[in-house]
Amino acid sequence: MTLELRIVEKRVGAETHIHPTSVVMEDGSFNVLLGTTLAGKTTLMQLMAGIQKPTAGEIWFRGRNVTHVPVQKRNVSMVYQQFINYPNLSVFDNIASPLRVAGMDRKEIERRVGAAAELLRLAPMLQRRPSELSGGQQQRTAIARAVVKDSDLILLDEPLANLDYKLREELRDELPKLFAGRKAVVVYATTEPAEALLFGGNTATLHEGRITQFGGTAETYRNPHDLITAQVFSDPPINVTPVRKTATKLTVFGTVTWPAPKRLAKLPDGAYSLALRPHHVLPAGRAGAAGSFTGRVLVTEISGSESVIHVATPEGTWVSHSHGVHPFAIGAEARLHADLDHALFFDSTGARVM
Amino acid sequence: MRKTVNQKAWFLVLPVFLLVAFNALIPLMTVVNYSVQETFGDNVFTWAGVRWFEEVLRSDNFWNALQRQLLFTGLVLAIEIPLGLAIALTMPKKGFWVSVCLVLMSLPLLIPWNVVGAMWNIMALPEIGLLGKAINSLGINYNYTRQPVSAWFTLVLMDVWHWTSLVALLCYAGLVSIPDAYYQAAKVDGARRWAVFRYIQLPKLRHVLTIAVLLRFMDSFMIYTEPQVMTGGGPGSATTFLSIDLVKKGIGQFDLGPAAAMSIIYFLIILALSWLFYTLMMRNQEN
Amino acid sequence: MAKITLDRIRHSYFPFPSQDEHYALKRVHLEWRDGGAYALLGPSGCGKTTLLNLISGLLVPTEGRLLFDGQDVTHASPEERNIAQVFQFPVIYDTMTVYDNLAFPLRNRHVPEAEVDARVREIAAMLDLTRTLGNRASGLTADGKQKISLGRGLVRSDVNVIMFDEPLTVIDPHLKWQLRSKLKELHQRTGRTMIYVTHDQTEALTFADTVVVMNHGVVVQTGTPIELFERPRHTFVGHFIGSPGMNLLPAEVKGGKVFFAGEEVAVDNATAARTAKGRLEIGIRPEFVGFGKAGLRADIVKVSDAGRFRIVEAASHGHKLKLLVPEGVSIPEGSARLAFNAARTRLYEDGWLAGDRPEDEA
């Protein structure tokens, strides 16, 4: 084990920015911190880096307590949302800067910068200034600077947020390749569930200064332990409704009754929350079938290959996200099918029960 | 491990610490020392308690000087802040004329204070000075060495000439930093010039204006060189401000005790008023 | 409200443009109907913001005319054009309440106070701002502020067009969904002409009835989201729209048939292919490639789980291809045969859809 947070807590005045948190990140792992703005992603990263000191708890790195070691004394790299480069240095000198600080010899610097530039497709523009580069190239330069020096810990704080959609797609593809085979612990903060999924690795979901769940990305996505994790890790937002289970029946939206799936047999009768991702709610089904319900269409968004249908239910808006083109007029009645095999059930405290 | 880091940090702070000590702390402590002691020379000091403070607070000279000081600062602020803001609003935002404007504006700020005093001294001479002669030829009786009103007019005019640029430059920097989108949005929203000023520029300039007011307040409250060179505090004591009064006491009459006590009172007034300005201007922000 | 005509517009930021490269907008000739929802989609620097500023009147075109309902407004000021615009970063009047912010565009035009009140309350209700109407606007979160900006754009009932310049850039993903569908809903309810500028295909495709795809100052394709997805007219559109973008494979035409690395591939525009001469490519979207018993031989390189679907990276004859595989469909290990949907497989010549190259590009 390498990076370990032991009951780390951060308070500023009366506010708690990070509630007591314990987490272990292994060497060579790619870890995503997923959460909305102000969920505590940046604070957590700054605690890991040593830029901020925890109010309580300890931070250990490779068997050493580094809680009070300042960031300059740790081997850490950071990449920010803003493209931060030295404006008066060439791309080459920008990438080389951490190596020069470390006093590396010229040959080795040239070799390493060349390799990093090759990986990030910056080789043809090494002599240019950052201002002569596109946004994507500027951010590639910043990333190259972060990876060139073999840091123990590489922190990326929403590095793609300021880039064009298509550039984001390219870099999402390239980044995991860049870190593969390295010993460093990589931590990547994002607000986008889709980004976490594409990177794979591990994901920690953050909500109001708490890590709600940490584990393999696909596992966290498919098997959330509580409602908040399911909500944080869903794009479009997950549909949630109160549900009442009585014997073999489920009642939702007050009046709609479905036969309960077999897997719920052992669940005691009572009130629960049912959560279902929008792509498991499809515009199909016949009246009376399990999972079938109707709602008044609020708006339909058709992207050419997919349809997103927002319908009003007695328990708020539900969203269906399906392949293909399914036009509905506003105000029309749409029949939707909730795929109960994928439905998640939570008790009144938000804990997952099925 | 942790210890070495701390010690290094102390070494880095040491020069600044020494500088501040020599520049501020030691003189201040000396003044405090003088203010509670009596001396007749020969380095013999006796304890005086708060006697000097009582003496200063009872003297008419002090209260008159303070009144004059407040009036002067009030006039200067009332003219320079709006005028500086108005100039900043009319300055070009882009192109060749920006640098021309900036250089012209900074010229008065580059002139040493005593030279400013000497310049205006000559300019305002009623018989041969450009300003003095011009005013007199308009039929207005103007003589700053004889009439208090003339003296005040000249001093305020001189200060406005000298320092309005500072306010204008600060405001200009603030204006330039407002994103274009705000102006574009205002255009689209159909806002008139006044609305743009009232709802975009003025709120965005609040911080800059606070700094401008504080700087001009502190500076004009401590003004010494220019009136000393121009009028020497006269005619009579019409332009004897706090600082001039203080110097007269300390250096002229060598009343070190009362002068020190007055310095401290002076210092506390500035501190209190600065704090008042700052909290008033910032409190609005938070609501 | 008005029909908008862009009549042979060219725009350059150079004072004396002499060659094509000097133009930020090389040629734009478009007609937008009254009440439509349009998106201008393209990468940074493609000219979409320039085009927006030309329509709003913040810029005057170097050449060409701009017409609102047939009336020449090329040189009219933004105010004379009677338009509304929402910017990338929220613009709010800090010292005013939410209510006063929304009322600002109306009060500036001396609308009677009773009508102002009615409009402000109506818009606030649409945007869920009713509860915060009395609050100071500066205390709101980024999305709250952007809602105010949107509200100021929507509050006037007499505008010719409402323009949105990447309005959701600063908004978190889960709120993006809400605001985006809100905008779509507002368009469907109010029937105003709206123009939405963005680099984000999801925003453009879900918001607009008609998407204008731009690149290097040229309109590459105008069409409905479905047209752009199913029949990209240029490989750029194929690449830029869709996530991941369209697969492109080098092609040869022999005897009226299309080949990739010696294997025949059935394409939809085979008739056009017979005359094609330039650089030839086969374009197929990842959505339209599946696993089959017969088809292109390929090795599976990588599978990434995107939740709803998996993205499979395969290699065939040294070329990379991507497939989108829905949840629940099994993926073969090692090697596989790839089947292309022939009706969605197309031949491109020098980037343009074979048989559909625009005349001024030839």
Side-chain angles (χ1 to χ4, degrees):
Chain A
M1 84 181 88
T2 67
L3 178 67
E4 188 183 357
L5 271 56
R6 296 186 182 168
I7 331 175
V8 165
E9 187 180 3
K10 179 73 184 176
R11 287 190 305 267
V12 178
E15 282 177 58
T16 304
H17 289 195
I18 297 291
H19 293 277
T21 295
S22 297
V23 72
V24 177
M25 292 176 178
E26 306 288 337
D27 269 342
S29 64
F30 194 103
N31 307 278
V32 180
L33 298 181
L34 175 66
T36 57
T37 308
L38 300 179
K41 304 187 295 294
T42 302
T43 310
L44 201 57
M45 282 190 150
Q46 292 186 340
L47 287 169
M48 289 173 177
I51 295 170
Q52 289 196 38
K53 297 252 173 295
T55 318
E58 291 178 346
I59 296 164
W60 287 66
F61 197 81
R62 291 192 183 143
R64 201 159 71 93
N65 183 349
V66 294
T67 315
H68 297 283
V69 179
V71 62
Q72 301 90 319
K73 296 242 161 188
R74 302 192 199 175
N75 192 7
V76 174
S77 309
M78 271 194 105
V79 180
Y80 302 86
Q81 183 178 345
Q82 295 81 13
F83 315 142
I84 298 176
N85 292 303
Y86 299 105
N88 55 341
L89 296 184
S90 67
V91 171
F92 181 94
D93 291 332
N94 260 289
I95 303 175
S97 60
L99 304 179
R100 295 216 165 108
V101 170
M104 201 173 275
D105 76 82
R106 181 190 295 252
K107 278 254 168 67
E108 179 65 9
I109 290 180
E110 276 177 14
R111 194 189 64 76
R112 288 208 187 191
V113 172
E118 199 61 47
L119 269 173
L120 284 154
R121 295 191 280 141
L122 288 167
M125 45 214 78
L126 279 175
Q127 293 320 312
R128 293 201 210 159
R129 296 279 168 89
S131 58
E132 298 164 316
L133 302 178
S134 70
Q137 290 162 343
Q138 288 183 39
Q139 193 64 323
R140 282 205 174 96
T141 305
I143 294 170
R145 199 172 57 235
V147 299
V148 76
K149 73 166 177 179
D150 274 336
S151 303
D152 297 326
L153 177 61
I154 302 175
L155 301 165
L156 304 115
D157 193 357
E158 298 189 44
L160 308 185
N162 282 5
L163 293 175
D164 267 19
Y165 189 86
K166 268 287 153 180
L167 284 170
R168 259 182 240 174
E169 215 173 272
E170 273 174 35
L171 274 164
R172 268 179 206 158
D173 225 24
E174 290 170 19
L175 277 175
K177 291 176 193 161
L178 199 59
F179 297 119
R182 277 173 192 268
K183 207 182 162 212
V185 176
V186 182
V187 183
Y188 184 107
T190 181
T191 57
E192 300 194 30
E195 206 158 84
L197 281 166
L198 287 175
F199 284 135
N202 304 316
T203 292
T205 45
L206 252 88
H207 181 71
E208 293 179 352
R210 268 178 237 271
I211 291 187
T212 62
Q213 192 167 334
F214 179 59
T217 299
E219 168 69 11
T220 309
Y221 176 77
R222 296 226 156 74
N223 197 9
H225 296 164
D226 53 45
L227 184 55
I228 287 182
T229 304
Q231 284 173 322
V232 171
F233 209 156
S234 186
D235 181 36
I238 196 163
N239 300 306
V240 182
T241 182
V243 60
R244 172 159 289 281
K245 181 181 181 268
T246 41
T248 58
K249 285 202 172 355
L250 295 177
T251 308
V252 292
F253 307 137
T255 55
V256 180
T257 307
W258 298 323
K262 286 211 175 63
R263 66 191 173 100
L264 294 183
K266 285 196 180 130
L267 194 67
D269 286 1
Y272 299 95
S273 292
L274 180 160
L276 197 54
R277 294 185 200 279
H279 68 276
H280 292 132
V281 180
L282 301 175
R286 57 193 164 73
S292 187
F293 69 101
T294 61
R296 193 172 47 79
V297 174
L298 295 170
V299 64
T300 319
E301 301 173 293
I302 294 172
S303 76
S305 57
E306 298 180 321
S307 303
V308 179
I309 308 161
H310 303 246
V311 301
T313 74
E315 298 294 343
T317 306
W318 267 48
V319 180
S320 150
H321 188 182
S322 55
H323 284 286
V325 175
H326 304 279
F328 281 97
I330 284 189
E333 196 81 345
R335 177 158 293 283
L336 299 177
H337 176 255
D339 181 357
L340 294 178
D341 290 342
H342 289 99
L344 307 170
F345 293 86
F346 303 91
D347 67 15
S348 58
T349 66
R352 174 89 177 277
V353 289
M354 199 55 82
Chain B
M1 170 90 204
R2 225 187 302 167
K3 247 181 183 171
T4 44
V5 174
N6 280 346
Q7 277 169 359
K8 238 187 239 168
W10 278 114
F11 273 118
L12 293 174
V13 178
L14 197 63
V16 179
F17 183 77
L18 289 176
L19 205 70
V20 171
F22 275 113
N23 262 321
L25 293 177
I26 295 173
L28 186 68
M29 290 325 291
T30 316
V31 171
V32 171
N33 223 9
Y34 279 139
S35 74
V36 292
Q37 288 172 344
E38 176 151 29
T39 178
F40 302 100
D42 294 339
N43 259 344
V44 181
F45 293 93
T46 53
W47 177 252
V50 294
R51 202 164 82 224
W52 302 137
F53 287 91
E54 286 169 6
E55 189 183 310
V56 168
L57 290 174
R58 257 191 245 118
S59 88
D60 289 341
N61 271 357
F62 170 77
W63 289 107
N64 291 336
L66 179 61
Q67 269 175 26
R68 283 191 285 272
Q69 188 71 68
L70 286 169
L71 179 65
F72 179 75
T73 296
L75 276 174
V76 157
L77 283 180
I79 297 171
E80 287 177 11
I81 299 294
L83 186 61
L85 182 56
I87 292 172
L89 286 170
T90 51
M91 274 169 73
K93 301 275 178 299
K94 279 183 201 128
F96 169 73
W97 289 104
V98 172
S99 41
V100 174
C101 274
L102 290 178
V103 169
L104 281 178
M105 299 291 297
S106 33
L107 276 181
L109 301 173
L110 298 173
I111 302 172
W113 298 358
N114 57 342
V115 176
V116 172
M119 265 169 55
W120 281 80
N121 203 344
I122 297 164
M123 268 241 291
L125 282 173
E127 269 82 44
I128 54 165
L130 186 60
L131 177 75
K133 185 75 192 164
I135 295 176
N136 275 305
S137 60
L138 287 174
I140 300 165
N141 191 5
Y142 168 87
N143 189 331
Y144 70 92
T145 54
R146 300 232 182 96
Q147 301 150 347
V149 175
S150 300
W152 271 79
F153 170 76
T154 319
L155 281 179
V156 170
L157 188 65
M158 175 179 69
D159 200 81
V160 168
W161 174 83
H162 194 179
W163 290 112
T164 304
S165 312
L166 179 73
V167 179
L169 290 176
L170 282 171
C171 290
Y172 182 75
L175 283 173
V176 172
S177 70
I178 300 176
D180 264 351
Y182 279 84
Y183 295 110
Q184 296 180 351
K187 252 188 215 170
V188 171
D189 287 339
R192 302 271 173 272
R193 187 71 197 82
W194 166 252
V196 171
F197 172 69
R198 169 72 185 75
Y199 296 113
I200 296 174
Q201 292 170 324
L202 203 54
K204 296 270 170 217
L205 285 179
R206 168 170 282 135
H207 283 111
V208 162
L209 280 175
T210 307
I211 290 170
V213 167
L214 275 179
L215 281 178
R216 284 314 302 135
F217 160 71
M218 290 191 283
D219 234 30
S220 64
F221 209 80
M222 296 187 291
I223 190 166
Y224 173 74
T225 315
E226 297 97 319
Q228 179 62 27
V229 174
M230 279 280 305
T231 63
S237 57
T239 58
T240 301
F241 300 130
L242 278 177
S243 56
I244 297 179
D245 193 31
L246 176 65
V247 171
K248 269 183 191 157
K249 231 187 216 93
I251 315 263
Q253 303 160 7
F254 219 70
D255 285 335
L256 286 188
M262 188 177 160
S263 299
I264 288 170
I265 295 169
Y266 195 5
F267 171 69
L268 290 177
I269 293 173
I270 292 177
L271 203 65
L273 286 176
S274 297
W275 177 81
L276 195 73
F277 273 124
Y278 185 80
T279 40
L280 279 182
M281 296 189 75
M282 284 300 156
R283 200 182 51 185
N284 259 333
Q285 178 88 7
E286 275 152 33
N287 288 347
Chain C
M1 250 159 280
K3 181 180 84 179
I4 298 171
T5 312
L6 298 152
D7 182 16
R8 277 158 297 181
I9 295 262
R10 280 159 80 77
H11 188 75
S12 173
Y13 292 101
F14 289 86
F16 305 106
S18 55
Q19 57 205 83
D20 236 20
E21 281 78 68
H22 292 168
Y23 285 89
L25 280 181
K26 295 199 179 69
R27 59 188 155 269
V28 175
H29 194 77
L30 290 167
E31 194 147 293
W32 287 342
R33 72 187 160 75
D34 185 7
Y38 293 91
L40 290 174
L41 175 67
S44 296
C46 74
K48 57 188 192 293
T49 302
T50 304
L51 187 54
L52 191 77
N53 288 339
L54 286 172
I55 298 170
S56 67
L58 296 169
L59 286 175
V60 174
T62 313
E63 289 170 35
R65 294 185 312 151
L66 182 76
L67 311 174
F68 282 8
D69 276 339
Q71 209 173 357
D72 193 331
V73 293
T74 318
H75 297 278
S77 74
E79 218 200 313
E80 288 163 335
R81 293 181 194 203
N82 210 6
I83 46 117
Q85 188 165 357
V86 178
F87 298 86
Q88 184 172 6
F89 295 100
V91 173
I92 54 150
Y93 303 104
D94 292 333
T95 51
M96 297 187 202
T97 60
V98 173
Y99 185 101
D100 290 337
N101 260 279
L102 294 177
F104 193 61
L106 298 174
R107 286 181 178 156
N108 282 327
R109 291 177 175 81
H110 309 292
V111 173
E113 202 55 32
E115 197 184 326
V116 170
D117 190 64
R119 291 292 301 162
V120 167
R121 291 192 186 282
E122 183 187 342
I123 294 298
M126 283 188 199
L127 290 167
D128 307 319
L129 286 171
T130 309
R131 272 183 299 119
T132 53
L133 272 179
N135 296 6
R136 189 91 164 248
S138 56
L140 298 179
T141 55
D143 62 292
K145 287 181 180 173
Q146 193 63 325
K147 273 190 189 175
I148 295 177
S149 301
L150 293 174
R152 279 208 322 275
L154 294 162
V155 76
R156 289 166 56 209
S157 50
D158 60 341
V159 290
N160 284 316
V161 54
I162 307 173
M163 292 183 291
F164 302 94
D165 190 1
E166 307 198 7
L168 302 183
T169 306
V170 295
I171 310 293
D172 266 14
H174 65 290
L175 293 166
K176 243 182 214 179
W177 281 93
Q178 283 177 19
L179 277 182
R180 209 181 64 209
S181 53
K182 199 79 194 168
L183 270 185
K184 178 88 184 169
E185 192 186 329
L186 288 171
H187 174 259
Q188 298 187 349
R189 273 164 59 172
T190 60
R192 307 277 173 77
T193 312
M194 294 189 182
I195 302 173
Y196 191 112
V197 167
T198 181
H199 61 80
D200 186 323
Q201 47 158 316
T202 316
E203 286 176 27
L205 296 173
T206 49
F207 172 77
D209 307 328
T210 306
V211 179
V212 178
V213 185
M214 296 184 66
N215 194 25
H216 298 309
V218 180
V219 173
V220 187
Q221 187 171 1
T222 302
T224 64
I226 299 167
E227 284 165 3
L228 295 178
F229 183 77
E230 294 187 348
R231 192 173 174 277
R233 197 182 178 200
H234 190 278
T235 51
F236 174 78
V237 178
H239 161 76
F240 201 77
I241 286 181
S243 181
M246 190 165 72
N247 294 304
L248 289 172
L249 303 167
E252 278 178 305
V253 176
K254 274 183 275 180
K257 288 179 177 159
V258 181
F259 294 88
F260 160 63
E263 297 197 41
E264 193 191 334
V265 178
V267 302
D268 175 61
N269 52 346
T271 38
R274 285 190 197 116
T275 57
K277 282 187 288 290
R279 178 170 52 84
L280 296 176
E281 287 162 300
I282 295 164
I284 173 99
R285 289 202 178 276
E287 287 85 348
F288 301 131
V289 188
F291 297 112
K293 293 214 170 67
L296 204 59
R297 246 177 270 275
D299 295 318
I300 308 295
V301 179
K302 188 183 149 195
V303 179
S304 7
D305 190 344
R308 281 181 311 122
F309 51 80
R310 282 153 298 165
I311 299 171
V312 178
E313 212 176 290
S316 178
H317 301 283
H319 288 272
K320 278 200 177 136
L321 268 139
K322 283 182 175 166
L323 289 75
L324 267 189
V325 182
E327 211 175 24
V329 174
S330 68
I331 296 169
E333 303 230 350
S335 65
R337 294 281 204 142
L338 305 182
F340 291 7
N341 177 344
R344 300 276 183 260
T345 312
R346 293 197 171 82
L347 188 70
Y348 291 85
E349 179 190 9
D350 292 331
W352 292 94
L353 186 63
D356 195 17
R357 175 188 281 226
E359 276 163 36
D360 49 8
E361 273 292 327

